[in-house]
Amino acid sequence: MTIEWHTLNREPSLTDLYVKAATRRKITGTTLPTTGLRCWITVDPQRLAAYRKVCGFADNGLLPPTYPHILAFALQMQLLTDKTFPFPLLGLIHLGNRIRILRPMGGVNRARVSVQVQNLQPHAKGATFDLVTTLDDQLGVLWEAQSQMLCRGVKLEGEPVEEVLASTLELMEVARWQAPADIGRQYAKVSGDYNPIHLSAVSARLFGFPTAIAHGLWNKARTIAALSEHLPAANVEIAVQFRKPVRLPSEVTLLSSAAGSSGDFQLVGAGDLEHMVGHWRPVA
């Protein structure tokens, strides 16, 4: 698929985009747009420091592996609320996330962010697509990611094909932490992601959840922070699938295999409830 790229002079206004998202509730088609958005974005040191604190990352001079998602969030919002995008943003479900760090992300003060959507596929509950994000510096691609998103109620021809991540290694407990009742609001402040299902029990119940749930990308970021001493700084792919949501507040336990160039991990709650599974591998 050939992408027609549109370059923006500055980041979009999140306030305006949330208004568009709130007023868009219907599925309008089954074809993804062939346009993408690009913008040069400057890293804000204060926002980065706040993100590190909320997610548990040490200040080691490198961008946290998940931080480019924060740089890209406004562009992603603009793409997913555009009239050419057929699905309503509110109600999309984040099924999985795969990031690839191609070079060490040290000294990154300004970078070009690119976002596009692709790979529309049938799913047992609707249809999935990939939200693809890329971070470039003056030397080329630095980081890239695919977020698999589900839109319920979409009807597509074909048989669903689902990739399932499963560990083949022995996992042991390496960390546990509390996901406090306000972590959704804390993460929203540093990410810009104010999805109501994460903010409070009252707002979450409007969308069918009995209580607020943690952001999936906070779960992934907090996990990577806990594993940071074992993960390579570059030439690594870190993939996760989100299973049962982390209801707030709750305690979670991180299980992982031995350190190395490859490894598996699992985030579980009380009663061995599986919240997230994942692995890290060298970039092929």
Side-chain angles (χ1 to χ4, degrees):
M1 181 176 70
T2 302
I3 297 295
E4 179 185 350
W5 291 103
H6 297 282
T7 300
L8 307 183
N9 294 325
R10 62 180 183 274
E11 288 184 77
S13 164
L14 280 176
T15 301
D16 295 341
L17 294 174
Y18 273 113
V19 171
K20 290 178 67 176
T23 56
R24 174 93 175 275
R25 297 299 180 92
K26 293 183 178 180
I27 297 170
T28 58
T30 55
T31 303
L32 295 179
T34 58
T35 55
L37 299 177
R38 286 175 169 167
C39 185
W40 283 91
I41 294 176
T42 301
V43 176
D44 181 340
Q46 291 184 332
R47 188 182 184 191
L48 174 58
Y51 178 85
R52 285 192 173 111
K53 183 177 180 180
V54 168
C55 298
F57 288 105
D59 185 357
N60 60 359
L62 302 174
L63 285 187
T66 47
Y67 194 69
H69 282 295
I70 308 306
L71 298 177
F73 184 69
L75 278 186
Q76 293 171 347
M77 283 276 291
Q78 174 141 331
L79 186 64
L80 298 181
T81 56
D82 189 84
K83 62 183 180 180
T84 62
F85 183 71
F87 311 138
L89 176 58
L90 289 179
L92 291 180
I93 299 170
H94 198 173
L95 297 182
N97 177 264
R98 184 183 305 269
I99 63 177
R100 298 181 185 93
I101 307 168
L102 305 181
R103 290 181 282 118
M105 295 195 294
V108 180
N109 299 314
R110 184 171 169 81
R112 187 181 69 171
V113 176
S114 305
V115 298
Q116 59 173 292
V117 288
Q118 61 182 32
N119 194 31
L120 186 64
Q121 297 288 338
H123 186 274
K125 296 181 179 179
T128 63
F129 65 92
D130 291 338
L131 175 60
V132 180
T133 307
T134 307
L135 193 74
D136 297 80
D137 62 9
Q138 299 291 349
L139 299 178
V141 180
L142 184 63
W143 175 101
E144 57 188 11
Q146 290 93 30
S147 289
Q148 186 185 45
M149 312 297 293
L150 167 67
C151 181
R152 289 175 169 165
V154 180
K155 304 295 184 182
L156 295 180
E157 294 184 359
E159 292 296 321
V161 178
E162 296 183 41
E163 178 189 8
V164 178
L165 297 183
S167 174
T168 58
L169 304 175
E170 182 179 356
L171 304 182
M172 299 179 294
E173 180 178 337
V174 295
R176 63 175 59 201
W177 57 83
Q178 297 291 327
D182 68 342
I183 194 60
R185 296 188 293 277
Q186 290 186 49
Y187 185 78
K189 289 180 181 178
V190 299
S191 68
D193 185 353
Y194 283 89
N195 189 322
I197 65 175
H198 304 302
L199 303 182
S200 70
V202 173
S203 59
R205 280 195 288 268
L206 297 175
F207 292 86
F209 293 89
T211 186
I213 62 174
H215 291 76
L217 284 177
W218 179 78
N219 292 329
K220 184 175 184 178
R222 186 66 183 82
T223 294
I224 292 175
L227 294 171
S228 59
E229 293 184 2
H230 308 297
L231 298 176
N235 192 41
V236 63
E237 174 185 281
I238 309 171
V240 301
Q241 287 180 341
F242 302 115
R243 302 288 169 80
K244 298 295 184 180
V246 175
R247 295 184 179 183
L248 303 176
S250 63
E251 182 180 75
V252 295
T253 301
L254 175 62
L255 309 175
S256 181
S257 59
S261 61
S262 297
D264 297 339
F265 55 85
Q266 181 184 38
L267 192 67
V268 299
D272 292 329
L273 181 66
E274 191 175 60
H275 296 303
M276 184 179 73
V277 296
H279 66 232
W280 70 92
R281 304 282 189 267
V283 174

